[in-house]
Amino acid sequence: MGTSLRIDGYSAADRPVSTPTTKFGGQPVWLTGPQWPVSTAWDRPMRFVGQVELGPVLGAAGDGKVAYLFVTHADHEEDFFDPDVIDPDGGENAVIVQPAGDLAGPVLPLTTLPLETGPGLYGDDGSAVEFTVDLRPVSEPAPMTDEELEALPAADRDRYVERIDGDKIGGTPLFFQGDEWPDGGPWRLLLQLDSNWVPFRLNLGAAPRLFAFVSEDGAQGRMVVQDS
């Protein structure tokens, strides 16, 4: 058993968030020097998605640490989409951990720039947006393999899926295309997000689910997107 923080709602910030708290949009509140990741294929700064405090996910190993999430993403009304955004080692997404995060690991080397600010999330009209989140602690079951899940009676399987579904910080990932944990680790789920149902534009595919992970020692992160 474990605990997740369910995202019950999003509150538009009436002024820029200036503390290293969990949020989506706006600009990163860096704990140390800026480390803005650059798209490997497009040689342009990735788009900042949000930041997540690691303490609630990792306990003592995450206290005082923040993970910053980025993806390669088009500007408003710009016509491009990079399918490698789904791949934790594709060079088109990034999870930057501060302080003292380790950028080693991806197959493609990750380049960062010392940019304080850069591309951020936007709304339907293209204007910049920033949201804090309303979080609710929820008890969740431990992860199961596909084989273990399929072996359950149908009612138990449905109950398990219902308990781990939804947008959340931490907890057990609800994969729908196999157990797609990134290489390395061991990992903890940092964020699960159905990006088509959020109050900002985040194009990650047709019907995508974003999974961000952080290593148990709080040293590095990875991102996976599953898309139906």
Side-chain angles (χ1 to χ4, degrees), residues 48-59:
F48 175 61
V49 175
Q51 61 192 36
V52 181
E53 296 176 83
L54 296 192
V57 176
L58 297 178

Side-chain angles (χ1 to χ4, degrees), residues 79-219:
D79 186 21
F80 94 91
F81 175 78
D82 194 316
D84 287 337
V85 74
I86 70 171
D87 184 355
D89 298 317
E92 304 306 331
N93 67 51
V95 180
I96 306 291
V97 176
Q98 289 191 352
D102 178 9
L103 297 182
V107 174
L108 293 175
L110 185 64
T111 298
T112 64
L113 296 173
L115 302 176
E116 289 279 356
T117 62
L121 292 180
Y122 52 83
D124 290 338
D125 63 357
S127 60
V129 295
E130 186 171 19
F131 294 92
T132 58
V133 287
D134 305 318
L135 300 174
R136 173 174 54 92
V138 174
S139 179
E140 291 193 353
M144 301 179 69
T145 65
D146 286 347
E147 292 76 14
E148 291 170 333
L149 188 58
E150 287 300 318
L152 291 177
D156 292 342
R157 185 166 60 248
D158 291 346
R159 190 176 304 111
Y160 176 87
V161 168
E162 182 179 0
R163 291 183 64 188
I164 64 172
D165 199 3
D167 295 348
K168 60 188 180 180
I169 306 296
T172 298
L174 179 55
F175 296 117
F176 60 88
Q177 291 180 334
D179 299 327
E180 201 173 353
W181 295 91
D183 293 337
W187 303 103
R188 296 276 189 92
L189 179 68
L190 176 67
L191 172 68
Q192 176 172 291
L193 190 73
D194 289 328
S195 59
N196 283 358
W197 309 105
V198 291
F200 43 81
R201 300 290 294 175
L202 184 56
N203 180 17
L204 300 176
R209 178 170 293 162
L210 181 158
F211 301 92
F213 300 91
V214 64
S215 58
E216 290 189 349
D217 61 2

